[in-house]
Amino acid sequence: MREILVLAEHRKGVLRDITWEMLSLGKELAEKMEAQLTTVLPGYEVKSLADELSTQADLVLLVEDERLQNFSSMAYQQVLSTLITTRKPIITLIGHTACGIDLAPGLAAALGMPLATDCLSLTLTEKELTAVRQIYGGKVNAEVACSCEKGCIATIRAGVVSPWGEETRKGKVEVIQSPSLEGISRQRFIEYVEAAIGGVDITQADIIVAIGRGIQDKENIPLAEELAKALGGTLACSRPIVDKKWLPKAHQVGTSGKTVRPKAYIALGISGAFQHIVGMKDSGVIIAVNKDPRAPIFEVADYGIVCDLFDFMPVLKEKAKELLQRR
Amino acid sequence: MIPAVLVIGGGIAGMQAALDVGNAGFKAYIVEKEPSIGGHMIQLDDVFPTLDCSACILTPKMTEVGSHSNIELLTYSEVISATGHVGDFKVRIKKKPRYVDEERCTGCGICQQKCPWKVDSEFDMGLGKRKAIYTLFPQAVPNIPVIDPEHCAYFLKGTCRACERFCEAGAIDFQQREREIEIEAGAIIVATGYDIFDARLKPEYGYGKYNSVITALELERLSCASGPTEGKIQLNGKEPQGVVFIQCVGSRDKTVGNEYCSRVCCMYTAKLAYLVKEKVPGVKVTVCYIDIRAFGKGYEQFIERVQKEGVIYRRGNVSEVYRRGNRVVVRAEDTLLGEPYEEEADMVVLATGLVPRGDARELANLLNISRGSDGFLLESHPKLGEIESGVEGIFLAGCCQGPKDITDCVIQASGAAGMACGLLARDRHYSL
Amino acid sequence: MKTTITSITKKQTLAQEYDLLGCMQCGKCTAACPVAMRSHLNIRKLMQEALTHESLNPIPMKELWDCTCCSTCTIYCPRELKPNELIINLRGILVEEGHVPTTIRDALESVFKQGNPWGGAKNKRAEWATDLHLKDATRDKEIEVVYFVGCTPSYDPRVQEVARALVKSFNKAGVNFGILGNEERCCGNEVRRMGEEGLFEILIEDNTNVFQKLDVKTMVTTSPHCYNTFKNEYPETHFEIQHYTQYVANLIATGKLTFCGEVDKVVTYHDPCFLGKQNKVFDAPRSIIDSIPGVKFIEFDRSRERSLCCEGGGGRMWVDASDSGERLAEVRVRDAVEMGVQIILTACPFCLLNLEDATKTIGYEDKIQVMDIMELVSQVI
Amino acid sequence: MDIIVCVKKVPDTREAELIITKDGKDIEKGELVCDINEWDRYAVEEAIRLKEELGGSVTAVAVTPDEDEDLLRKCLAMGADRAIMVKDESFRGSDAHVIATALHHIIKDLPFDLVFTGVQAEDDGYAQVGGILAGFLKVPHATLVTQIEVLERKVQVHRELEEALMEVVELDMPAVCTIQTGINEPRYVSIMGIRKAAKKEMKTLNTSDLGLTEEELGDSASKVKIKGLSLPPSGKGAEILKGSTGEIATKVASILKSKGVLA
């Protein structure tokens, strides 16, 4: 039976959203290719997760081993390469996450398979996989293709596919013996560490005013801070601001920062790298201010303002003050 | 060899030189630009380190000069040309019109009382007033007033003549004209003194912009009992609570072309600081200095005494003075603490340095003597010939040759007089 | 982390280069320094350290970046030494060692890559003037005046207004002028002061090559910073360099630029350090202001030679001071408000930005306005 | 501690308006300014910091179709000890697999304790080279590294996960790390520094020096090929608000109000 293989990603006993997103995408591909949707769950004492997965896959391959308790690219690679070699799926889907980025390239190299990473959408034919990706920081869309005749691997960007959210399959769970996992001791998981969080919790805010590179200078941050204050909101930022150490990590929105869902999200001078967009796309209303009309942020924003944010900030601040005073 | 010495300048150096020459039995002429002899010293209050009253020690000397049988005073006069050579100089002198007949005037002073026209007094550094007919100061020698035609109503409008009406001696003479005379002398002693550095050239101190920023000489006049405030240290009728002295204003400063140390400012600052402390109860006095140069006899002890009186010495040059409310702020670094600071004050006193007289170049050309790169008249040798000018028969005395204190002026003047007399005496010896 | 320091400066070299033996440690430099009261930067002490210590390691001296290069220390030095240049030299060591604040790093890299420190794209330099249809000075040989716009007026939307206002005046007065368009590059004044001497040399060479192709008599700059370096630091400029205030003052004096309106406002003028203190251009800007009908002009207490630095020079547009405390631009704005001034005028992009920023940080936006002289002029011509 | 850092030059597209070439497979790069890939720059800095702390050497390596000497000079100026550039026109259009193959050929004969790459490149953003290279070299690896501590024959690294979480992983050396931005503050490279670095060793090789065959190179060897590029329409999705700044601010305020977050 032809197969679409999806790697189930989980951490600390919980399946991650990306897994459901990939299953959703996998279901679409499987239906088109008349293939079986199979998901692989490497882990230890994760039977319950396998049951969960079975609601949206035809087959769940549960690989249980104490050494698979936490994600390890070396161990996962062995599990997957063994399975792929024997089962020969048309395509293997992995999340373009911290886990997938660590795993997929080495896996592809070991199997000699083509790998398309960070894909937004996939089209599969008998011979070819076509993927849409973003390049140049999201300013250009690229259509890339590779052969899938001898199998292929794709990593999927988080948050671009909607999960089904309901039971679509009644799959069975098959327990698979873990491979020998030789040599994995050269890479050892030690622990998880929470990034230091300051006094703020941006996830609790109703209004977020977020700044990006466009703020230009640390000195300009107070201007945004004042605006946030005037709106009764909280200041957040994109990754470069934290990289420059202009704001503490606790303010960062995005994959490596916080995911936020405020009622309103105002993005000031944020171009909209996907790592950021993932962290805020579910906000109630998104208003983006950017000089560049082609900035990717406008794709997710509900309202866009193409102007210099330094012109805009003070005016909006005044407007907000006015409104609040009237109240 | 003409047995007479021409002394140019009637300040302390010129007076001392003339007295020594006169006492040696030679004729001495003093040519003085101003209407009276006395020079800068007569403007001072007390002198360091003894705290003697300057006028008290100087007026007897002035009187002696005025009445000395061998000394002829040519006040309100200027040298306009000189020819000849050692032993036989011919010097032409311009006598400016006083509009007062020197022969007739009795010095009663009624003319000054009756003159209705008030003018800022140069002698009081503009802090007090004089009349359009005036003597520089009450003890002026000669005690003969002059009329200042730039302010006299008669010269300006052709009316008034109050002085003429009240002068019982009939000495007022509006018809007087400038005259030239020629004097012959065997030797010349140049004792033309110095000018005070113009503090406006250091705009960062705000002199001329803020009333509370004054020069040290202005403070001398305020402190002087005969001055415009009768010795009270006051500005606009108020005593200052904080006084800051800024040293080295116009001295040791290449930006204004004065690389040299003015030698007297450290000591006169200490003296003035002492006087302020003494006269104003509770006043805070700060002296901002670069180094303290107290090398004379008793000077170091004097500085110590002033410090012990409570004057705060802070090492570090002041960068600027600016306004804050009704007061001014002095900004400096305390270089000993390595700490910049700002100090508020009601009075800032600029210890302005000594600069060559404005006409030093003209005088040097006229006498064919040299000037140094600093603009002062040049001695023949910096160590061994501080008195000789380089032209035989012409000697230097006092601050025209470089900044120095009263003590050194007097010494150099006596030296110059001695050398001049020696020159003249050489000839007398032969003729005997 | 251990750091290997390869170019610690030996005292002999510094002493010779900056005549440190001539320093009398009077402290006037530090006293005059606009940031000394708030910063660890003590230039007098630094002079002594450079002289007496065996070697000087500037790497831990974060305060070196506090200097605004206003040059007051140098202008005031009674021994005519150049303390400011010592700071620039020490920054040069930091630059060579790579130890510069990231924002300075980004600015310098942007100058190298894009020809401006603001990160703007090289080929968007003349975008501000697209709708103005200005002559291209690199092609049009008939041009008499080259208008050197400068980086900040080219890219900063606020300061672009100044360039537009100046263009309006030039057009009104019939000046035959052009701009260098995308061939214009950073003048390097700030680059030199950030210690990047190598990059400054490249900029001199590149700019001089462009200038030499032009057969012009006069170049006019918006910024006093460009004016300063062209006038005093470029070895070969075969034409006359003028700051716009000088050029416009002359246009007004010769009757070429006339006014047709009135400004009923109380204004003052803030002297930019690079125009006033450093180049003694005090009267030209004042004569322009005086000629604007209706304007009531009041001087700041600290004006002309005694003007207060806005803290925008010497790379300070790209780096924060190492300390907190009231910024001088804020002091300036407070003073102006107290004086009853409605508009603070200035003639430098950095002063404009800093002063305007200060009105906001102290909440005086409604009380006072900050404008470039040209902006006010353009309202009434 | 011998560290090899793989670097790449990329065009700076942040402020630029991009134009797609006629063949639709690339963007016009003529007007764009190129510089070291942001992630690689952090990688070079990290390598140099480790060398400064622990001794050893840093070798910068680039595989490129263009004359990228300036890229490697910059790495040398930052503090790398030597540089190797493999230049071949056939690298144009290569996918990560080909680049990793070439890098593997260079690195396999060099002594090393660590190999660094950036997590990804600013241009294609594949995030593959480091992982594939580790596979070829048969050494353990870690991606998205934000902190490195060198211990006895092993390194302990922090990997950046999602939701502000970090994973601490230990790797036996030799190992490959792909470096995430923010791990350090890359130093400035001065013009003087670049001039001085001219004295340092820089080797330029071609593909035959590496024993690479044509089948292993170029577009034909790439497993993943670009079919075509397109520009996303500007402002897709967002309703662009127009008018004066004041008008826009009023609209924004009413939008916020309608969402119940203001007043």
Side-chain angles (χ1 to χ4, degrees):
Chain A
M1 176 98 193
R2 293 205 294 192
E3 202 170 42
I4 305 285
L5 198 64
V6 172
L7 172 67
E9 189 175 328
H10 59 100
R11 185 183 297 146
K12 293 180 171 181
V14 180
L15 286 164
R16 298 186 52 74
D17 290 349
I18 183 73
T19 310
W20 303 115
E21 292 165 19
M22 284 190 294
L23 284 171
S24 167
L25 179 65
K27 180 174 165 273
E28 220 174 275
L29 296 175
E31 275 165 12
K32 183 162 177 268
M33 301 300 292
E34 294 172 352
Q36 169 177 292
L37 179 59
T38 303
T39 180
V40 185
L41 177 67
Y44 182 60
E45 293 176 345
V46 285
K47 178 70 177 58
S48 61
L49 300 186
D51 294 339
E52 258 186 79
L53 286 167
S54 67
T55 61
Q56 291 198 17
D58 298 317
L59 177 64
V60 180
L61 302 174
L62 173 60
V63 189
E64 284 213 283
D65 189 309
E66 202 176 344
R67 291 169 294 176
L68 293 169
Q69 180 162 22
N70 292 298
F71 170 77
S72 149
S73 60
M74 283 183 120
Y76 268 48
Q77 184 184 317
Q78 289 194 29
V79 170
L80 281 173
S81 65
T82 311
L83 286 171
I84 292 169
T85 312
T86 52
R87 302 181 71 92
K88 299 194 170 43
I90 315 169
I91 187 168
T92 303
L93 303 182
I94 299 173
H96 194 73
T97 56
C99 159
I101 289 172
D102 214 42
L103 169 67
L107 178 67
L111 293 167
M113 271 182 191
L115 167 66
T117 41
D118 197 16
C119 302
L120 278 78
S121 68
L122 300 177
T123 320
L124 208 51
T125 64
E126 293 296 329
K127 292 188 168 173
E128 200 179 53
L129 165 74
T130 310
V132 175
R133 324 177 52 247
Q134 287 185 342
I135 58 174
Y136 295 110
K139 290 183 102 168
V140 178
N141 288 338
E143 208 175 36
V144 299
C146 63
S147 161
C148 63
E149 285 173 310
K150 290 175 185 168
C152 64
I153 304 171
T155 67
I156 311 301
R157 179 178 286 193
V160 294
V161 187
S162 307
W164 281 100
E166 60 196 66
E167 189 169 320
T168 59
R169 294 276 196 284
K170 280 198 166 45
K172 58 173 184 171
V173 177
E174 191 181 324
V175 179
I176 304 271
Q177 166 112 45
S178 127
S180 63
L181 301 180
E182 271 168 46
I184 62 159
S185 65
R186 287 189 292 157
Q187 182 196 56
R188 297 172 290 280
F189 171 84
I190 305 293
E191 60 176 336
Y192 292 118
V193 189
E194 291 272 350
I197 301 288
V200 287
D201 184 359
I202 53 173
T203 62
Q204 297 304 311
D206 273 348
I207 295 191
I208 287 181
V209 174
I211 52 171
R213 272 186 213 273
I215 200 77
Q216 288 175 8
D217 195 318
K218 190 179 177 181
E219 271 193 27
N220 297 327
I221 290 179
L223 299 175
E225 227 164 359
E226 284 164 25
L227 173 61
K229 213 173 129 190
L231 291 167
T234 304
L235 186 68
C237 67
S238 63
R239 179 177 184 112
I241 304 299
V242 175
D243 280 353
K244 285 174 193 283
K245 308 206 169 20
W246 289 354
L247 282 175
K249 185 90 181 170
H251 290 267
Q252 187 187 329
V253 171
T255 49
S256 57
K258 293 283 185 186
T259 299
V260 294
R261 289 175 186 83
K263 288 181 183 163
Y265 191 90
I266 302 176
L268 302 170
I270 293 176
S271 64
F274 99 89
Q275 293 92 330
H276 183 78
I277 287 176
V278 168
M280 45 65 82
K281 65 180 170 44
D282 296 327
S283 306
V285 60
I286 299 172
I287 299 163
V289 185
N290 206 296
K291 262 201 287 193
D292 181 359
R294 288 185 180 277
I297 189 81
F298 290 128
E299 310 239 343
V300 294
D302 299 296
Y303 299 96
I305 298 149
V306 181
C307 77
D308 186 70
L309 63 101
F310 297 106
D311 290 340
F312 184 69
M313 283 192 294
V315 181
L316 182 59
K317 189 180 94 181
E318 283 320 303
K319 192 60 69 184
K321 274 188 184 165
E322 234 174 73
L323 280 173
L324 290 176
Q325 268 167 12
R326 225 178 279 160
R327 187 179 62 174
Chain B
M1 191 71 67
I2 293 154
V5 177
L6 171 68
V7 179
I8 309 174
I12 178 60
M15 286 191 279
Q16 184 63 44
L19 282 172
D20 288 351
V21 169
N23 289 340
F26 293 101
K27 168 97 181 176
Y29 298 96
I30 294 182
V31 180
E32 170 57 54
K33 218 172 172 173
E34 297 295 326
S36 167
I37 56 170
H40 279 117
M41 184 177 165
I42 197 66
Q43 287 179 283
L44 308 181
D45 188 16
D46 293 352
V47 293
F48 62 81
T50 53
L51 293 177
D52 289 326
C53 152
S54 184
C56 308
I57 56 175
L58 193 60
T59 36
K61 250 191 206 309
M62 286 164 60
T63 316
E64 196 185 343
V65 169
S67 58
H68 202 292
S69 56
N70 281 349
I71 299 176
E72 187 175 335
L73 268 184
L74 299 160
T75 52
Y76 218 41
S77 302
E78 284 169 49
V79 173
I80 50 172
S81 73
T83 52
H85 48 81
V86 56
D88 187 13
F89 290 107
K90 290 187 171 53
V91 182
R92 290 195 69 79
I93 288 157
K94 170 177 83 180
K95 284 190 67 114
K96 291 177 277 190
R98 282 183 119 94
Y99 306 108
V100 175
D101 188 327
E102 294 178 39
E103 303 297 320
R104 289 190 178 174
C105 176
T106 60
C108 70
I110 187 85
C111 53
Q112 295 183 57
Q113 284 171 34
K114 297 296 178 187
C115 174
W117 308 107
K118 280 190 178 174
V119 182
D120 280 346
S121 158
E122 295 85 353
F123 185 80
D124 282 337
M125 306 307 293
L127 297 167
K129 298 284 180 193
R130 63 162 169 85
K131 296 292 178 61
I133 182 165
Y134 68 105
T135 56
L136 276 183
F137 50 94
Q139 306 84 8
V141 175
N143 187 19
I144 299 163
V146 291
I147 294 175
D148 163 12
E150 278 177 27
H151 295 98
C152 170
Y154 174 73
F155 282 97
L156 295 174
K157 297 174 198 150
T159 54
C160 183
R161 293 188 171 220
C163 49
E164 193 180 41
R165 257 184 289 137
F166 286 96
C167 180
E168 289 179 5
I172 305 298
D173 177 7
F174 290 114
Q175 305 312 312
Q176 235 179 37
R177 292 289 171 267
E178 185 177 288
R179 300 187 288 132
E180 279 181 24
I181 56 167
E182 190 174 277
I183 282 171
E184 296 187 333
I188 298 173
I189 294 174
V190 185
T192 45
Y194 62 92
D195 279 346
I196 303 282
F197 173 75
D198 178 4
R200 284 176 185 81
L201 298 175
K202 299 293 292 172
E204 63 264 39
Y205 297 140
Y207 180 74
K209 189 172 168 71
Y210 307 128
N211 291 333
S212 42
V213 180
I214 61 171
T215 65
L217 196 54
E218 287 167 25
L219 181 57
E220 294 278 3
R221 292 315 301 151
L222 291 181
S223 179
C224 200
S226 61
T229 54
E230 292 165 345
K232 290 191 212 91
I233 311 279
Q234 286 180 345
L235 279 178
N236 306 322
K238 272 164 71 181
E239 278 192 340
Q241 289 308 296
V243 178
V244 177
F245 286 85
I246 302 176
Q247 293 215 205
C248 296
V249 177
S251 305
R252 307 176 70 187
D253 188 348
K254 288 185 184 177
T255 66
V256 290
N258 299 343
E259 294 181 42
Y260 53 85
C261 165
S262 288
R263 289 181 56 168
V264 293
C265 324
C266 286
M267 294 309 298
Y268 78 58
T269 297
K271 172 202 70 186
L272 287 169
Y274 178 91
L275 293 176
V276 170
K277 197 81 195 158
E278 191 184 56
K279 292 184 178 195
V280 184
V283 69
K284 183 181 181 197
V285 180
T286 307
V287 175
C288 300
Y289 69 102
I290 303 176
D291 309 288
I292 291 299
R293 296 182 168 172
F295 49 84
K297 196 171 179 175
Y299 289 11
E300 181 59 25
Q301 297 91 315
F302 182 70
I303 294 278
E304 188 187 344
R305 179 176 165 195
V306 173
Q307 283 186 291
K308 285 184 175 169
E309 285 298 325
V311 172
I312 305 296
Y313 272 78
R314 295 193 86 172
R315 191 179 173 286
N317 202 346
V318 170
S319 69
E320 51 202 327
V321 178
Y322 60 92
R323 181 183 293 132
R324 183 182 290 162
N326 303 325
R327 308 186 86 190
V328 287
V329 177
V330 176
R331 201 168 144 152
E333 186 204 359
D334 187 318
T335 60
L336 298 176
L337 296 174
E339 229 173 63
Y341 66 94
E342 287 183 339
E343 179 155 337
E344 284 192 12
D346 315 295
M347 183 189 276
V348 172
V349 185
L350 305 181
T352 40
L354 277 45
V355 297
R357 286 199 69 103
D359 56 7
R361 175 205 293 267
E362 204 181 318
L363 182 73
N365 288 343
L366 208 134
L367 297 175
N368 202 23
I369 56 178
S370 307
R371 289 189 312 145
S373 58
D374 56 10
F376 288 102
L377 300 178
L378 190 67
E379 62 285 347
S380 68
H381 189 280
K383 274 207 116 50
L384 306 176
E386 272 229 338
I387 294 171
E388 296 101 312
S389 71
V391 172
E392 213 184 340
I394 302 183
F395 304 97
L396 308 176
C399 291
C400 66
Q401 179 255 333
K404 51 182 73 69
D405 64 7
I406 295 167
T407 319
D408 286 356
C409 282
V410 171
I411 294 168
Q412 197 181 21
S414 289
M419 292 184 86
C421 292
L423 197 72
L424 302 185
R426 203 165 60 191
D427 195 45
R428 188 190 277 179
H429 175 75
Y430 289 133
S431 65
L432 278 172
Chain C
M1 197 187 72
K2 271 182 275 175
T3 315
T4 1
I5 299 146
T6 49
S7 55
I8 289 174
T9 304
K10 294 281 176 254
K11 69 173 181 183
Q12 291 86 343
T13 35
L14 284 181
Q16 278 166 8
E17 210 169 323
Y18 301 104
D19 206 6
L20 296 177
L21 289 162
C23 174
M24 63 171 158
Q25 287 289 303
C26 71
K28 184 148 182 165
C29 45
T30 298
C33 173
V35 300
M37 296 283 283
R38 298 184 286 124
S39 165
H40 286 296
L41 184 67
N42 184 324
I43 177 60
R44 191 244 342 135
K45 222 165 132 189
L46 210 53
M47 299 275 280
Q48 183 75 353
E49 282 167 359
L51 179 66
T52 54
H53 288 182
E54 271 311 310
S55 60
L56 199 59
N57 176 11
I59 289 171
M61 300 180 190
K62 297 268 174 282
E63 67 275 14
L64 283 175
W65 298 103
D66 292 353
C67 170
T68 71
C69 294
C70 70
S71 217
T72 314
C73 52
T74 295
I75 293 164
Y76 279 3
C77 175
R79 287 274 173 90
E80 292 186 339
L81 308 181
K82 295 187 166 78
N84 190 202
E85 292 293 321
L86 174 66
I87 292 178
I88 295 172
N89 175 295
L90 293 174
R91 284 179 173 186
I93 297 171
L94 294 175
V95 165
E96 234 183 286
E97 290 293 323
H99 291 266
V100 303
T102 49
T103 45
I104 294 274
R105 178 195 70 192
D106 294 347
L108 289 173
E109 279 175 356
S110 172
V111 171
F112 182 69
K113 288 196 282 188
Q114 309 284 7
N116 74 83
W118 297 111
K122 189 157 66 172
N123 57 6
K124 290 189 180 173
R125 192 172 184 107
E127 214 175 55
W128 67 274
T130 317
D131 57 331
L132 298 174
H133 309 292
L134 304 181
K135 289 183 190 168
D136 181 349
T138 61
R139 299 217 172 77
D140 194 332
K141 294 288 168 206
E142 303 303 308
I143 278 166
E144 284 162 26
V145 175
V146 172
Y147 170 32
F148 190 92
V149 185
C151 299
T152 313
S154 293
Y155 291 97
D156 187 294
R158 171 68 187 88
V159 188
Q160 282 171 0
E161 296 306 314
V162 179
R164 288 173 169 278
L166 185 54
V167 165
K168 185 178 171 189
S169 296
F170 279 171
N171 286 335
K172 177 84 193 299
V175 177
N176 180 9
F177 76 103
I179 60 170
L180 299 169
N182 289 343
E183 281 204 50
E184 186 183 291
R185 293 192 79 184
C186 174
C187 66
N189 189 71
E190 299 308 285
V191 168
R192 185 176 107 72
R193 282 155 183 79
M194 289 187 251
E196 181 41 303
E197 189 68 34
L199 183 53
F200 182 54
E201 281 168 17
I202 289 177
L203 293 171
I204 290 182
E205 205 184 312
D206 288 359
N207 282 327
T208 308
N209 283 341
V210 173
F211 296 167
Q212 269 168 356
K213 287 192 290 186
L214 316 171
D215 185 28
V216 287
K217 292 184 199 73
T218 310
M219 179 177 283
V220 175
T221 72
T222 327
S223 172
H225 295 250
C226 309
Y227 168 72
N228 176 66
T229 193
F230 289 150
K231 184 162 172 269
N232 304 318
E233 291 163 354
Y234 271 50
E236 289 168 59
T237 38
H238 56 286
F239 42 76
E240 193 192 356
I241 307 289
Q242 287 198 24
H243 183 251
Y244 84 74
T245 52
Q246 297 170 308
Y247 195 82
V248 172
N250 192 47
L251 289 179
I252 294 170
T254 52
K256 289 185 184 123
L257 186 62
T258 52
F259 296 92
C260 57
E262 272 197 25
V263 179
D264 182 23
K265 295 272 184 186
V266 182
V267 306
T268 188
Y269 172 68
H270 167 85
D271 286 279
C273 296
F274 280 77
L275 190 64
K277 267 182 189 165
Q278 295 192 37
N279 285 295
K280 310 281 175 251
V281 179
F282 298 118
D283 297 328
R286 287 176 171 77
S287 80
I288 299 175
I289 297 167
D290 282 345
S291 65
I292 301 173
V295 154
K296 182 169 183 285
F297 179 67
I298 318 178
E299 281 278 9
F300 272 117
D301 171 35
R302 282 186 269 183
S303 63
R304 301 178 74 96
E305 297 92 340
R306 304 162 65 240
S307 184
L308 199 60
C309 175
C310 80
E311 295 188 77
R316 280 287 304 279
M317 292 305 286
W318 297 277
V319 69
D320 284 332
S322 63
D323 61 285
S324 51
E326 189 169 48
R327 288 186 288 158
L328 298 177
E330 294 173 355
V331 174
R332 208 54 162 166
V333 170
R334 281 186 209 284
D335 284 353
V337 168
E338 258 173 52
M339 285 152 60
V341 163
Q342 292 163 292
I343 306 172
I344 304 177
L345 293 172
T346 189
C348 168
F350 297 164
C351 295
L352 178 72
L353 291 172
N354 280 333
L355 292 170
E356 196 167 85
D357 192 39
T359 63
K360 292 172 188 159
T361 54
I362 56 178
Y364 279 5
E365 305 105 300
D366 304 333
K367 293 191 180 166
I368 198 159
Q369 246 184 310
V370 180
M371 288 170 93
D372 190 276
I373 291 178
M374 284 328 291
E375 294 182 283
L376 194 60
V377 167
S378 76
Q379 286 182 2
V380 285
I381 54 170
Chain D
M1 177 66 55
D2 294 317
I3 306 173
I4 295 169
V5 193
C6 308
V7 292
K8 177 182 186 180
K9 196 155 98 174
V10 294
D12 185 345
T13 55
R14 276 204 290 271
E15 291 283 322
E17 309 227 340
L18 304 183
I19 303 162
I20 299 199
T21 52
K22 279 192 188 134
D23 69 357
K25 294 197 171 179
D26 206 348
I27 55 163
E28 295 284 359
K29 290 176 184 160
E31 291 269 303
L32 297 176
V33 184
C34 293
D35 198 4
I36 185 169
N37 174 37
E38 181 86 354
W39 279 268
D40 296 349
R41 181 170 150 137
Y42 283 90
V44 175
E45 176 68 31
E46 193 62 20
I48 290 160
R49 287 186 186 209
L50 288 176
K51 180 194 83 169
E52 285 171 351
E53 193 182 320
L54 305 163
S57 72
V58 173
T59 306
V61 182
V63 170
T64 164
D66 299 302
E67 197 58 61
D68 286 348
E69 223 185 280
D70 54 338
L71 165 71
L72 291 166
R73 290 262 170 255
K74 186 164 184 166
C75 297
L76 292 172
M78 281 177 84
D81 300 278
R82 67 184 78 84
I84 302 170
M85 178 170 77
V86 183
K87 180 188 168 294
D88 199 305
E89 183 56 35
S90 60
F91 287 127
R92 206 172 297 286
S94 295
D95 70 355
H97 194 270
V98 172
I99 299 298
T101 305
L103 287 170
H104 174 230
H105 272 78
I106 306 168
I107 295 168
K108 66 180 170 35
D109 299 325
L110 299 174
F112 71 89
D113 299 293
L114 289 170
V115 174
F116 287 171
T117 71
V119 164
Q120 60 185 357
E122 283 174 71
D123 52 1
D124 55 31
Y126 277 125
Q128 291 188 20
V129 170
I132 300 175
L133 182 60
F136 289 159
L137 291 167
K138 298 191 169 38
V139 298
H141 76 274
T143 51
L144 294 153
V145 170
T146 56
Q147 189 180 318
I148 298 181
E149 195 186 348
V150 176
L151 307 166
E152 190 73 24
R153 293 310 305 153
K154 62 187 183 188
V155 284
Q156 198 170 82
V157 304
H158 284 215
R159 292 189 64 233
E160 182 181 272
L161 308 179
E162 293 79 14
E163 300 278 298
L165 195 67
M166 301 281 165
E167 179 185 66
V168 184
V169 177
E170 232 172 56
L171 306 172
D172 285 348
M173 288 197 283
V176 173
C177 293
T178 81
I179 304 295
Q180 176 65 306
T181 55
I183 188 173
N184 52 43
E185 281 186 5
R187 66 196 64 191
Y188 177 67
V189 178
S190 70
I191 301 299
M192 284 307 281
I194 290 173
R195 283 181 196 154
K196 279 185 184 169
K199 290 189 202 111
K200 288 188 178 174
E201 182 192 335
M202 180 142 110
K203 225 188 268 179
T204 307
L205 304 175
N206 53 43
T207 44
S208 55
D209 294 330
L210 295 179
L212 279 166
T213 61
E214 251 178 59
E215 293 84 73
E216 290 173 297
L217 294 173
D219 201 35
S220 55
S222 290
K223 292 171 189 287
V224 178
K225 295 185 176 103
I226 289 179
K227 285 175 89 175
L229 304 186
S230 61
L231 294 177
S234 84
K236 185 185 82 182
E239 178 193 329
I240 300 294
L241 304 179
K242 297 220 160 76
S244 72
T245 320
E247 288 161 13
I248 294 174
T250 311
K251 274 187 218 167
V252 169
S254 68
I255 292 167
L256 295 175
K257 236 173 135 179
S258 72
K259 298 283 164 185
V261 283
L262 194 68

